[in-house]
Amino acid sequence: MSSSTPGKSSKADRTGASGATGRTGKTVPERTTATEAGAKTGGKSATKAAAKTPTKSATKSATKSATKAAAKTPTESATKAAAKSAPARKASATAAAAKAPAPRKAPKAESHLAMVRRARRINRELAEVYPYAHPELDFRNPFELLVATVLSAQTTDLRVNQTTPALFAAYPTPEDMAAAVPEEMEEIIRPTGFFRAKTKSLLGLSAALRDEFGGEVPGRLEDLVKLPGVGRKTANVVLGNAFGVPGITVDTHFGRLVRRWKWTDEEDPVKVESVVAGIFPKSEWTMLSHRVVFHGRRICHARKPACGACPIAPLCPSYGEGETDPDKARKLLKYEMGGRPGQRLSPPADYPGKPAPALGEG
């Protein structure tokens, strides 16, 4: 075994230090390994390539592009447009609000005294419009008026007036009518509707007049309402127009109008009669009934009142429920107000309209 001499390097050490020594004694250049070569080559190439990569330029370009794109986004333009359009929208809204109709103010509560004064003024106005107001049933005596009023239920006065001439020709007195053959009477009054029920009422009241009142129509309300088919409305019609006893006739027209005029909100005819009777003096009751019914049939209709042609429109709290255009409203007027025949075949002499045609003539 040999040992290294201090201060001298061994052969292996010298070989490793200066490179491999060939057999010729010449020094062989040191071989470079693939790893080292790759490190050298790749390092330089990577460095050069990295230098050429668009890191900085791309960052700058992206930043500029993003800034420009952000500048082009609709945020600012939308804000400016909104700022410009806001006053326009506000102006449009203001103009629309100005054009819209102002809400109607709630009417002030009317005192009872004010309502009574208004109601009486309406009556005076109607008296000027309809000085010829009258019962629209043809009759020559209390018996004929009683019979005609019973027949007028659920039909028009015109249809009754066209029917009663034949009826009274066949049965001119209560005694004659009480002895009538029901089927024959039914055939005569058939045009008025509900002819079987009406025949029963007429036979009953005629017999009662014959047996209890000597063939005469009584002149008291309490007696009249006891007759078959006779209620307060019929009794008041007979008393007011055949006997001169004041009475308020609450039919469908009368009830509708007094509610529209806010005289009362009652629906029951007896209650309506009581309220209206407290508004007007007794002497006005009969003619008030005629005027109100005339107005309801000619102008203040149930479904489409002719508000634009109504002479008492300024006094009506329900004005506007119907047609308010004057020209259109005038086309809704009926009977003499609309230039047409009335309901009576034999109207009073002062009636300005034309008589109604007989049954089968029009």
Side-chain angles (χ1 to χ4, degrees), residues 125-193:
E125 295 283 344
L126 293 179
E128 294 182 7
V129 176
Y130 308 108
Y132 49 84
H134 56 268
E136 294 192 90
L137 291 170
D138 286 327
F139 69 97
R140 294 170 295 184
N141 55 59
F143 175 64
E144 289 187 356
L145 179 58
L146 177 60
V147 170
T149 307
V150 171
L151 289 176
S152 68
Q154 306 298 318
T155 190
T156 64
D157 287 358
L158 171 61
R159 183 61 67 194
V160 173
N161 293 334
Q162 291 174 331
T163 303
T164 51
L167 180 67
F168 294 138
Y171 316 107
T173 67
E175 291 81 4
D176 295 326
M177 190 168 287
V181 176
E183 291 77 16
E184 293 178 359
M185 183 182 289
E186 288 176 1
E187 195 60 31
I188 294 174
I189 67 172
R190 180 184 290 270
T192 66

Side-chain angles (χ1 to χ4, degrees), residues 25 51 109 156 222 265:
T156 64
E222 54 268 31
D265 58 1

Side-chain angles (χ1 to χ4, degrees), residues 57-121:
S57 58
T59 303
K60 292 180 180 179
S61 300
T63 303
K64 291 180 179 180
S65 300
T67 303
K68 292 179 179 180
K72 293 180 179 180
T73 55
T75 305
E76 292 183 7
S77 58
T79 303
K80 292 179 180 180
K84 290 181 179 179
S85 61
R89 288 198 303 269
K90 187 175 181 180
S92 300
T94 304
K99 291 181 180 179
R104 294 183 65 182
K105 294 182 179 179
K108 294 182 180 179
E110 186 179 40
S111 68
H112 179 72
L113 178 59
M115 182 275 291
V116 170
R117 289 174 174 171
R118 180 172 57 82
R120 292 182 176 183
R121 185 178 173 187

Side-chain angles (χ1 to χ4, degrees), residues 67-297:
T67 303
K68 292 179 179 180
K72 293 180 179 180
T73 55
T75 305
E76 292 183 7
S77 58
T79 303
K80 292 179 180 180
K84 290 181 179 179
S85 61
R89 288 198 303 269
K90 187 175 181 180
S92 300
T94 304
K99 291 181 180 179
R104 294 183 65 182
K105 294 182 179 179
K108 294 182 180 179
E110 186 179 40
S111 68
H112 179 72
L113 178 59
M115 182 275 291
V116 170
R117 289 174 174 171
R118 180 172 57 82
R120 292 182 176 183
R121 185 178 173 187
I122 287 176
N123 183 41
R124 292 193 299 271
E125 295 283 344
L126 293 179
E128 294 182 7
V129 176
Y130 308 108
Y132 49 84
H134 56 268
E136 294 192 90
L137 291 170
D138 286 327
F139 69 97
R140 294 170 295 184
N141 55 59
F143 175 64
E144 289 187 356
L145 179 58
L146 177 60
V147 170
T149 307
V150 171
L151 289 176
S152 68
Q154 306 298 318
T155 190
T156 64
D157 287 358
L158 171 61
R159 183 61 67 194
V160 173
N161 293 334
Q162 291 174 331
T163 303
T164 51
L167 180 67
F168 294 138
Y171 316 107
T173 67
E175 291 81 4
D176 295 326
M177 190 168 287
V181 176
E183 291 77 16
E184 293 178 359
M185 183 182 289
E186 288 176 1
E187 195 60 31
I188 294 174
I189 67 172
R190 180 184 290 270
T192 66
F194 301 96
F195 55 91
R196 291 191 178 90
K198 290 178 180 179
T199 295
K200 184 177 180 181
S201 294
L202 294 182
L203 290 174
L205 71 84
S206 297
L209 292 176
R210 179 195 63 193
D211 299 339
E212 299 177 26
F213 298 98
E216 299 291 334
V217 176
R220 298 194 312 165
L221 178 68
E222 54 268 31
D223 292 331
L224 284 169
V225 296
K226 292 178 182 177
L227 299 174
V230 178
R232 287 187 66 89
K233 185 195 83 170
T234 299
N236 281 328
V237 169
V238 173
L239 290 174
N241 297 283
F243 292 97
V245 178
I248 295 174
T249 304
V250 183
D251 69 351
T252 181
H253 302 289
F254 191 95
R256 179 179 72 252
L257 266 63
V258 298
R259 283 187 288 272
R260 277 183 178 169
W261 294 334
K262 310 301 181 187
W263 294 358
T264 180
D265 58 1
E266 296 288 353
E267 295 283 344
D268 180 75
V270 176
K271 293 181 179 179
V272 171
E273 179 185 342
S274 176
V275 171
V276 177
I279 298 175
F280 298 91
K282 198 171 183 178
S283 59
E284 287 290 321
W285 289 357
T286 300
M287 287 308 300
L288 169 72
S289 300
H290 293 325
R291 293 164 191 153
V292 173
V293 172
F294 255 61
H295 192 65
R297 287 174 171 171

